[in-house]
Short mmCIF file of all heavy atoms in Angstrom, two decimals:
data_model
loop_
_atom_site.label_atom_id
_atom_site.label_comp_id
_atom_site.label_asym_id
_atom_site.label_seq_id
_atom_site.Cartn_x
_atom_site.Cartn_y
_atom_site.Cartn_z
N SER A 11 4.45 4.61 3.67
CA SER A 11 5.78 4.42 4.28
C SER A 11 6.13 5.57 5.21
O SER A 11 6.63 5.37 6.32
CB SER A 11 6.85 4.32 3.19
OG SER A 11 6.60 3.24 2.35
N ARG A 12 5.86 6.79 4.73
CA ARG A 12 6.22 7.97 5.54
C ARG A 12 5.40 8.00 6.82
O ARG A 12 5.89 8.39 7.89
CB ARG A 12 5.98 9.23 4.71
CG ARG A 12 6.53 10.47 5.31
CD ARG A 12 8.03 10.47 5.43
NE ARG A 12 8.69 10.86 4.19
CZ ARG A 12 10.00 10.68 3.95
NH1 ARG A 12 10.77 10.12 4.87
NH2 ARG A 12 10.53 11.04 2.82
N ARG A 13 4.16 7.58 6.74
CA ARG A 13 3.32 7.54 7.94
C ARG A 13 3.85 6.47 8.92
O ARG A 13 3.90 6.70 10.12
CB ARG A 13 1.86 7.24 7.57
CG ARG A 13 0.92 7.27 8.76
CD ARG A 13 0.90 8.65 9.42
NE ARG A 13 0.36 8.59 10.76
CZ ARG A 13 0.22 9.64 11.56
NH1 ARG A 13 0.61 10.84 11.18
NH2 ARG A 13 -0.28 9.49 12.76
N TYR A 14 4.22 5.32 8.36
CA TYR A 14 4.78 4.27 9.21
C TYR A 14 6.03 4.80 9.92
O TYR A 14 6.21 4.63 11.13
CB TYR A 14 5.15 3.03 8.38
CG TYR A 14 5.63 1.88 9.24
CD1 TYR A 14 4.76 0.87 9.63
CD2 TYR A 14 6.95 1.83 9.69
CE1 TYR A 14 5.19 -0.15 10.46
CE2 TYR A 14 7.39 0.82 10.52
CZ TYR A 14 6.51 -0.18 10.90
OH TYR A 14 6.93 -1.18 11.74
N GLU A 15 6.87 5.48 9.15
CA GLU A 15 8.11 6.04 9.72
C GLU A 15 7.80 7.01 10.86
O GLU A 15 8.47 7.00 11.90
CB GLU A 15 8.91 6.74 8.62
CG GLU A 15 10.25 7.27 9.09
CD GLU A 15 11.05 7.93 7.97
OE1 GLU A 15 10.48 8.18 6.88
OE2 GLU A 15 12.24 8.19 8.19
N ALA A 16 6.77 7.85 10.66
CA ALA A 16 6.43 8.83 11.69
C ALA A 16 5.89 8.14 12.95
O ALA A 16 6.13 8.60 14.07
CB ALA A 16 5.39 9.81 11.15
N GLN A 17 5.17 7.04 12.78
CA GLN A 17 4.59 6.37 13.94
C GLN A 17 5.60 5.51 14.69
O GLN A 17 5.59 5.43 15.91
CB GLN A 17 3.41 5.47 13.51
CG GLN A 17 2.16 6.25 13.18
CD GLN A 17 0.96 5.39 12.83
OE1 GLN A 17 0.13 5.80 12.03
NE2 GLN A 17 0.84 4.22 13.43
N TYR A 18 6.44 4.82 13.96
CA TYR A 18 7.28 3.78 14.57
C TYR A 18 8.77 3.93 14.33
O TYR A 18 9.57 3.24 14.96
CB TYR A 18 6.86 2.41 14.04
CG TYR A 18 5.43 2.04 14.32
CD1 TYR A 18 4.53 1.81 13.27
CD2 TYR A 18 4.96 1.90 15.63
CE1 TYR A 18 3.21 1.45 13.53
CE2 TYR A 18 3.65 1.55 15.89
CZ TYR A 18 2.78 1.33 14.84
OH TYR A 18 1.48 0.98 15.09
N GLY A 19 9.14 4.78 13.39
CA GLY A 19 10.54 4.80 12.94
C GLY A 19 10.72 3.71 11.90
O GLY A 19 10.03 2.69 11.94
N LEU A 20 11.60 3.95 10.94
CA LEU A 20 11.76 2.97 9.86
C LEU A 20 13.21 2.97 9.41
O LEU A 20 13.72 3.96 8.90
CB LEU A 20 10.81 3.34 8.71
CG LEU A 20 10.74 2.44 7.50
CD1 LEU A 20 10.52 0.98 7.89
CD2 LEU A 20 9.62 2.88 6.57
N ASP A 21 13.87 1.83 9.64
CA ASP A 21 15.24 1.66 9.17
C ASP A 21 15.17 1.11 7.75
O ASP A 21 14.89 -0.07 7.55
CB ASP A 21 15.98 0.70 10.11
CG ASP A 21 17.41 0.43 9.65
OD1 ASP A 21 17.79 0.90 8.56
OD2 ASP A 21 18.14 -0.27 10.39
N TYR A 22 15.41 1.99 6.78
CA TYR A 22 15.23 1.58 5.38
C TYR A 22 16.20 0.48 4.97
O TYR A 22 15.93 -0.27 4.03
CB TYR A 22 15.32 2.81 4.46
CG TYR A 22 14.10 3.70 4.59
CD1 TYR A 22 14.10 4.81 5.44
CD2 TYR A 22 12.93 3.40 3.91
CE1 TYR A 22 12.97 5.60 5.58
CE2 TYR A 22 11.80 4.18 4.04
CZ TYR A 22 11.82 5.28 4.88
OH TYR A 22 10.69 6.05 5.01
N ARG A 23 17.32 0.36 5.70
CA ARG A 23 18.26 -0.71 5.36
C ARG A 23 17.64 -2.09 5.58
O ARG A 23 18.01 -3.06 4.93
CB ARG A 23 19.56 -0.57 6.15
CG ARG A 23 20.37 0.66 5.77
CD ARG A 23 21.73 0.68 6.47
NE ARG A 23 22.62 -0.35 5.96
CZ ARG A 23 23.37 -0.23 4.86
NH1 ARG A 23 23.34 0.89 4.16
NH2 ARG A 23 24.15 -1.21 4.47
N MET A 24 16.69 -2.15 6.51
CA MET A 24 16.03 -3.44 6.75
C MET A 24 15.05 -3.76 5.62
O MET A 24 14.84 -4.93 5.29
CB MET A 24 15.34 -3.44 8.11
CG MET A 24 16.32 -3.51 9.27
SD MET A 24 17.37 -5.00 9.21
CE MET A 24 18.92 -4.34 8.59
N LEU A 25 14.46 -2.74 5.01
CA LEU A 25 13.68 -3.00 3.80
C LEU A 25 14.63 -3.49 2.69
O LEU A 25 14.30 -4.38 1.91
CB LEU A 25 12.94 -1.73 3.34
CG LEU A 25 11.89 -1.17 4.31
CD1 LEU A 25 11.20 0.04 3.70
CD2 LEU A 25 10.86 -2.23 4.69
N GLY A 26 15.82 -2.91 2.69
CA GLY A 26 16.85 -3.34 1.74
C GLY A 26 17.21 -4.81 1.94
O GLY A 26 17.44 -5.54 0.96
N LYS A 27 17.23 -5.24 3.20
CA LYS A 27 17.53 -6.66 3.46
C LYS A 27 16.49 -7.56 2.79
O LYS A 27 16.84 -8.59 2.21
CB LYS A 27 17.56 -6.90 4.98
CG LYS A 27 17.78 -8.37 5.35
CD LYS A 27 17.80 -8.59 6.86
CE LYS A 27 17.79 -10.08 7.20
NZ LYS A 27 17.81 -10.33 8.66
N LEU A 28 15.23 -7.16 2.86
CA LEU A 28 14.18 -7.96 2.20
C LEU A 28 14.37 -7.95 0.68
O LEU A 28 14.20 -8.98 0.02
CB LEU A 28 12.79 -7.40 2.55
CG LEU A 28 12.36 -7.44 4.01
CD1 LEU A 28 10.96 -6.88 4.16
CD2 LEU A 28 12.43 -8.87 4.56
N ALA A 29 14.71 -6.78 0.14
CA ALA A 29 14.92 -6.67 -1.31
C ALA A 29 16.05 -7.59 -1.76
O ALA A 29 15.95 -8.28 -2.78
CB ALA A 29 15.21 -5.22 -1.69
N VAL A 30 17.13 -7.61 -0.96
CA VAL A 30 18.30 -8.44 -1.30
C VAL A 30 17.94 -9.93 -1.20
O VAL A 30 18.30 -10.73 -2.07
CB VAL A 30 19.49 -8.09 -0.39
CG1 VAL A 30 20.62 -9.11 -0.55
CG2 VAL A 30 19.99 -6.68 -0.69
N THR A 31 17.20 -10.29 -0.14
CA THR A 31 16.81 -11.69 0.04
C THR A 31 15.99 -12.17 -1.16
O THR A 31 16.25 -13.25 -1.72
CB THR A 31 15.96 -11.85 1.32
OG1 THR A 31 16.74 -11.44 2.45
CG2 THR A 31 15.53 -13.29 1.51
N GLN A 32 15.02 -11.36 -1.56
CA GLN A 32 14.17 -11.77 -2.69
C GLN A 32 14.99 -11.84 -3.98
O GLN A 32 14.79 -12.72 -4.81
CB GLN A 32 12.97 -10.84 -2.83
CG GLN A 32 12.02 -10.94 -1.65
CD GLN A 32 10.59 -10.51 -1.96
OE1 GLN A 32 9.68 -10.84 -1.24
NE2 GLN A 32 10.38 -9.79 -3.05
N ARG A 33 15.92 -10.88 -4.15
CA ARG A 33 16.74 -10.89 -5.35
C ARG A 33 17.60 -12.16 -5.40
O ARG A 33 17.75 -12.79 -6.45
CB ARG A 33 17.61 -9.63 -5.42
CG ARG A 33 18.48 -9.53 -6.65
CD ARG A 33 17.66 -9.58 -7.94
NE ARG A 33 16.68 -8.52 -8.03
CZ ARG A 33 16.89 -7.35 -8.64
NH1 ARG A 33 18.04 -7.11 -9.23
NH2 ARG A 33 15.93 -6.45 -8.69
N ASN A 34 18.16 -12.53 -4.24
CA ASN A 34 18.96 -13.77 -4.19
C ASN A 34 18.12 -14.97 -4.60
O ASN A 34 18.63 -15.90 -5.24
CB ASN A 34 19.55 -13.97 -2.79
CG ASN A 34 20.66 -12.97 -2.49
OD1 ASN A 34 21.21 -12.37 -3.42
ND2 ASN A 34 20.98 -12.79 -1.22
N HIS A 35 16.86 -14.95 -4.23
CA HIS A 35 15.97 -16.05 -4.62
C HIS A 35 15.74 -16.04 -6.14
O HIS A 35 15.68 -17.10 -6.77
CB HIS A 35 14.65 -15.97 -3.87
CG HIS A 35 14.78 -16.30 -2.41
ND1 HIS A 35 13.90 -15.85 -1.45
CD2 HIS A 35 15.72 -17.03 -1.75
CE1 HIS A 35 14.27 -16.31 -0.26
NE2 HIS A 35 15.37 -17.01 -0.43
N ALA A 36 15.59 -14.86 -6.70
CA ALA A 36 15.39 -14.77 -8.16
C ALA A 36 16.61 -15.31 -8.91
O ALA A 36 16.47 -15.89 -9.99
CB ALA A 36 15.10 -13.32 -8.56
N LEU A 37 17.80 -15.11 -8.31
CA LEU A 37 19.02 -15.63 -8.96
C LEU A 37 18.98 -17.15 -9.07
O LEU A 37 19.60 -17.74 -9.95
CB LEU A 37 20.26 -15.21 -8.15
CG LEU A 37 20.53 -13.71 -8.05
CD1 LEU A 37 21.74 -13.44 -7.15
CD2 LEU A 37 20.72 -13.07 -9.41
N LEU A 38 18.22 -17.77 -8.14
CA LEU A 38 18.11 -19.24 -8.14
C LEU A 38 16.88 -19.73 -8.90
O LEU A 38 16.59 -20.92 -8.92
CB LEU A 38 18.05 -19.75 -6.69
CG LEU A 38 19.25 -19.41 -5.80
CD1 LEU A 38 18.98 -19.83 -4.36
CD2 LEU A 38 20.50 -20.10 -6.34
N ASN A 39 16.15 -18.79 -9.49
CA ASN A 39 14.89 -19.14 -10.17
C ASN A 39 15.02 -18.88 -11.67
O ASN A 39 15.01 -17.74 -12.12
CB ASN A 39 13.75 -18.30 -9.58
CG ASN A 39 12.41 -18.61 -10.23
OD1 ASN A 39 12.31 -19.47 -11.11
ND2 ASN A 39 11.38 -17.89 -9.81
N GLU A 40 15.14 -19.96 -12.41
CA GLU A 40 15.33 -19.82 -13.87
C GLU A 40 14.12 -19.19 -14.56
O GLU A 40 14.23 -18.69 -15.68
CB GLU A 40 15.62 -21.19 -14.49
CG GLU A 40 17.02 -21.67 -14.17
CD GLU A 40 17.24 -23.11 -14.61
OE1 GLU A 40 16.31 -23.70 -15.21
OE2 GLU A 40 18.33 -23.63 -14.34
#
Side-chain angles (χ1 to χ4, degrees):
Chain A
S11 300
R12 190 65 82 194
R13 183 62 198 180
Y14 185 96
E15 184 178 12
Q17 284 184 212
Y18 300 118
L20 183 51
D21 177 355
Y22 289 96
R23 293 187 69 83
M24 288 301 102
L25 297 183
K27 176 180 171 180
L28 297 181
V30 169
T31 300
Q32 294 204 162
R33 181 57 59 94
N34 288 342
H35 290 156
L37 297 176
L38 300 173
N39 180 3
E40 287 172 2

